[in-house]
Amino acid sequence: MEKTEIIKSKILDRHALERNLAFWRFRARKIVFTNGCFDILHRGHVEYLSQARDKGDILIVGLNTDASVRRLKGANRPVNPQEARAMVLASLFFVDAVVLFDEDTPYELIKTVQPDVLVKGADYQPESIVGYDIVTAKGGTVETVALVEGFSTTGILSEP
């Protein structure tokens, strides 16, 4: 299989996600979930995602669709379309799956994934993270990762 095909194979729809989840659970893999817009991938994103992956065996990234990003960030966002953002994320060796979601929050996707570990940035309190109730009810953990100071898509876009 060519490298581009390997990358594309990591971008899953909900049906493919459920098949992969069944396989990973059968293999007793610890599943980590995180989400975001990941509009312009930068060092902060890479460190955040790699640290999230360190918390388990499989890293699933929920990616906001273009429509979802516009509702959250405004009419001028995203800079990169969802297909491009998904390809860049899937190209990271420590990302096992990328799944698009169109809602404003990944709550329904988290219900499907039922991760063992839910990860967000340390700018959140664990109890306020969307999906906290789902993950903790099944005995999973909700963890935060320190953000890399000075790196944000909004900051990059506001530079002169």
Side-chain angles (χ1 to χ4, degrees):
M1 188 181 305
E2 292 185 19
K3 301 293 187 231
T4 302
E5 291 306 312
I6 293 169
I7 293 168
K8 288 179 179 178
S9 74
K10 292 165 60 175
I11 303 169
L12 308 177
D13 61 22
R14 300 285 171 107
H15 181 69
L17 172 65
E18 289 175 0
R19 277 196 324 267
N20 284 13
L21 284 167
F23 175 75
W24 292 326
R25 288 209 174 88
F26 175 75
R27 303 279 313 253
R29 300 292 192 241
K30 186 175 186 181
I31 297 170
V32 179
F33 177 88
T34 193
N35 66 281
C37 301
F38 302 103
D39 195 1
I40 298 175
L41 199 68
H42 53 72
R43 175 184 169 186
H45 289 137
V46 172
E47 289 193 31
Y48 167 79
L49 291 167
S50 67
Q51 289 177 54
R53 175 57 163 75
D54 287 341
K55 297 182 180 299
D57 303 311
I58 300 292
L59 176 60
I60 299 170
V61 179
L63 181 64
N64 295 74
T65 62
D66 291 348
S68 177
V69 174
R70 276 192 289 282
R71 288 192 304 273
L72 296 170
K73 307 249 181 197
N76 294 331
R77 297 281 297 277
V79 172
N80 292 301
Q82 63 195 36
E83 296 83 8
R85 293 181 289 120
M87 280 287 290
V88 171
L89 286 170
S91 73
L92 298 171
F93 74 93
F94 45 79
V95 171
D96 297 286
V98 177
V99 183
L100 292 159
F101 67 95
D102 196 45
E103 302 82 10
D104 291 346
T105 74
Y107 193 78
E108 293 302 315
L109 182 53
I110 293 168
K111 280 186 358 188
T112 299
V113 173
Q114 295 284 318
D116 300 298
V117 184
L118 175 60
V119 177
K120 285 299 281 181
D123 51 336
Y124 289 88
Q125 292 299 314
E127 299 78 18
S128 69
I129 295 172
V130 169
Y132 176 90
D133 58 330
I134 297 166
V135 175
T136 57
K138 69 175 280 284
T141 61
V142 178
E143 302 181 30
T144 59
V145 171
L147 300 176
V148 179
E149 188 102 10
F151 290 91
S152 74
T153 300
T154 301
I156 291 168
L157 292 174
S158 67
E159 290 177 1

